[in-house]
Amino acid sequence: MEIFSKDEAEKDAYTFYNKENCEEVIEYVLAKGKEAQKAEEIALTAWRSLECRDAGRIDLRENAIGELQFLEVNALPGLHPTHSDLPILCNKVGIEFHELIRRIVESAMNRYKENYTFFKEETARTEAL
Amino acid sequence: MTKNNERKIAVVYGDVLPDAPPDEKDVLIEVDNVCDALDKLGYETVRMPFSFNVLKVLKSLEELKPLCVFNLVESLLGKGSFIPFPLLVFDYLKTALYRIRQ
């Protein structure tokens, strides 16, 4: 998702004011084509390299010559349903807020089940020795 | 874990002081909306403010024994740099009490 500031937005930064008044001063546009593919590649590489889990947001920025640069990872992104970027992006691709929350919980629970099962099996094995 | 806790989720957030600025108080709206979503998904939510009174937090979570913790702690005492602290507490609980690998 690309973030564009309208004329009415506070300048030079994606400020708290801009986020709170995003309906009036910000335009969110789904990225498409090769640029979107490149962004996805960079974002997923960063996410997986950092071993991040469940849900988050990677921020990228285009430099003066159009190259996408990694800015930061938000492993604990805002979850305000209308003012936070992750829910806004999800909504644009048809993932409603409650579905986003469901996926986060499911991801965490799948990880828990895998590791808890492993622990139980390991405990049983070592106790049997 | 007892059957009663199979659908219980602790939604943990940074304790918000009365004079906190708007961007900190924003987390309370997030808590409301996350709890609402989880309730609609059939979970039972328990809202839990996280403070530096770690023993109190540990005791509350140990008594509750939730299915999981939904972490919404974005700052503590107004500082985002304290974000890792709750994660250490949750990891301790996971390994010491539930003895989960990872």
Side-chain angles (χ1 to χ4, degrees):
Chain A
M1 183 173 76
E2 295 184 86
I3 299 171
F4 295 95
S5 298
K6 296 180 182 174
D7 292 339
E8 300 81 8
E10 286 186 345
K11 303 298 175 199
D12 300 326
Y14 190 33
T15 63
F16 179 72
Y17 170 84
N18 288 345
K19 290 183 186 184
E20 283 297 291
N21 298 282
C22 57
E23 291 90 347
E24 290 87 35
V25 304
I26 298 293
E27 190 179 0
Y28 299 100
V29 179
L30 277 180
K32 292 178 184 173
K34 286 186 180 174
E35 198 170 52
Q37 283 174 354
K38 188 64 186 168
E40 184 178 320
E41 187 185 309
I42 295 171
L44 283 174
T45 300
W47 183 260
R48 290 166 180 159
S49 299
L50 293 166
E51 297 184 5
C52 297
R53 308 186 302 203
D54 304 328
R57 201 187 74 242
I58 301 280
D59 292 344
L60 309 176
R61 187 169 181 155
E62 209 171 62
N63 65 12
I65 55 172
E67 294 170 333
L68 285 170
Q69 308 284 310
F70 170 85
L71 267 184
E72 64 166 348
V73 59
N74 283 283
L76 192 64
L79 289 177
H80 190 295
T82 56
H83 289 170
S84 292
D85 293 342
L86 180 60
I88 291 172
L89 188 155
C90 286
N91 199 47
K92 282 193 170 293
V93 294
I95 301 171
E96 293 182 11
F97 186 74
H98 69 275
E99 173 62 15
L100 168 62
I101 302 303
R102 188 196 68 76
R103 291 186 188 193
I104 291 172
V105 174
E106 185 178 281
S107 172
M109 290 315 302
N110 286 340
R111 188 173 66 251
Y112 159 74
K113 284 172 190 167
E114 283 170 14
N115 291 313
Y116 190 58
T117 302
F118 172 85
F119 173 77
K120 281 171 69 177
E121 288 170 353
E122 274 298 291
T123 304
R125 186 182 67 81
T126 54
E127 284 175 353
L129 292 174
Chain B
M1 243 183 289
T2 66
K3 207 164 185 176
N4 285 341
N5 294 340
E6 281 181 0
R7 302 295 288 180
K8 196 171 286 188
I9 294 182
V11 179
V12 184
Y13 59 98
D15 206 0
V16 180
L17 300 174
D19 59 347
D23 60 334
E24 277 184 45
K25 289 184 176 175
D26 214 39
V27 75
L28 299 176
I29 299 175
E30 289 189 11
V31 172
D32 283 345
N33 281 282
V34 168
C35 285
D36 187 52
L38 289 170
D39 290 343
K40 284 178 182 160
L41 291 166
Y43 294 101
E44 180 189 339
T45 53
V46 177
R47 296 165 193 232
M48 192 176 290
F50 188 102
S51 69
F52 280 107
N53 188 342
V54 178
L55 289 178
K56 183 181 172 186
V57 174
L58 283 172
K59 190 166 181 287
S60 299
L61 285 171
E62 194 179 356
E63 284 172 357
L64 187 65
K65 287 189 173 52
L67 176 67
C68 65
V69 169
F70 200 111
N71 179 27
L72 289 176
V73 182
E74 297 178 353
S75 65
L76 285 172
L77 297 179
K79 291 193 171 189
S81 57
F82 286 139
I83 280 181
F85 181 65
L87 301 178
L88 296 175
V89 174
F90 301 148
D91 261 356
Y92 163 74
L93 279 170
K94 184 173 67 181
T95 53
L97 296 181
Y98 292 94
R99 302 178 71 187
I100 307 300
R101 181 181 72 107
Q102 188 185 26

